[in-house]
């Protein structure tokens, strides 16, 4: 039964959980999770976005859009969302699902290229659902630092993970880290790590 579901084309009525599981089977290191983020986790991530800050909200690894929906529900206009997704089938679905948002296919770790082509002012926030722990620490650190460099001090880089420790420790860079409590409504339980560049 599972194989039959996974072998089906990504038709519009296919549940997001099956879409996500299929993508995980196809490329587990790029997908990183077997199910979309729960509403509780997605809402917690979106809650760190300061709506008074101008600029784009950059979403990395939106998947099927559970966090995208929470960002819009939080009050961010879709026209301010720039979503970077690696899987082309998710890009097509997200573009149809979130009219007004800019959804591009790309590798979030090639951040400089994304910044040069799509980011022309300081970002209002970065919201990441990337499976950072599948990458070497130097790559994780580089991505977080590049994103923080594209924002004003105090602006959040928001990342979730299932781990007990942050993707990059505070001693590893010029940033502070805020940690949420465990979101037990997510499967598996997750927490949110918020990185910010301190004001000089």
């Amino acid at each position: 039964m599972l194989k039959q579901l996974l072998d089906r084309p990504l038709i519009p009525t296919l549940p997001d959980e099956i879409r996500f599981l299929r993508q995980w089977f196809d490329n587990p290191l790029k997908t990183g999770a077997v199910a979309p983020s729960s509403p509780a986790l997605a809402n917690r991530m979106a809650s760190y976005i300061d709506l008074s800050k101008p600029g784009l909200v950059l979403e990395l690894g939106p998947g099927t859009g559970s966090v995208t929906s929470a960002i819009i529900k939080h009050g961010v206009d879709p026209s301010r969302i720039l979503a970077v997704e690696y899987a082309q089938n998710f890009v097509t679905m997200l573009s149809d699902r979130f009219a007004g948002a800019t959804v591009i296919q790309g590798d979030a770790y090639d951040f400089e290229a994304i910044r040069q082509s799509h980011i022309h002012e300081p970002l209002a926030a970065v919201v990441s659902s990337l499976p950072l722990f599948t990458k070497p620490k130097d790559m994780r650190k580089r991505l977080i630092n590049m994103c923080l460099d594209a924002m004003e001090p105090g602006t959040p880089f928001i990342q979730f993970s299932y781990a007990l420790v942050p993707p990059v420790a505070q001693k590893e860079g010029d940033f502070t880290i805020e940690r949420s409590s465990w979101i037990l409504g997510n499967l598996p339980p997750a927490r949110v790590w918020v990185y910010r560049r301190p004001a000089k």
Side-chain angles (χ1 to χ4, degrees), residues 26-47:
D26 289 343
N27 200 335
L29 292 182
K30 288 290 185 182
T31 307
V34 297
S37 299
S38 69
L41 175 57
N43 291 336
R44 180 71 64 87
M45 295 176 76
S47 72

Side-chain angles (χ1 to χ4, degrees), residues 41-80:
L41 175 57
N43 291 336
R44 180 71 64 87
M45 295 176 76
S47 72
Y48 292 100
I49 300 172
D50 182 352
L51 297 177
S52 69
K53 277 190 174 292
L56 294 173
V57 173
L58 175 63
E59 187 180 5
L60 304 178
T64 57
S66 59
V67 177
T68 317
S69 294
I71 292 171
I72 294 171
K73 179 182 175 184
H74 180 61
V76 176
D77 190 274
S79 65
R80 294 181 57 203

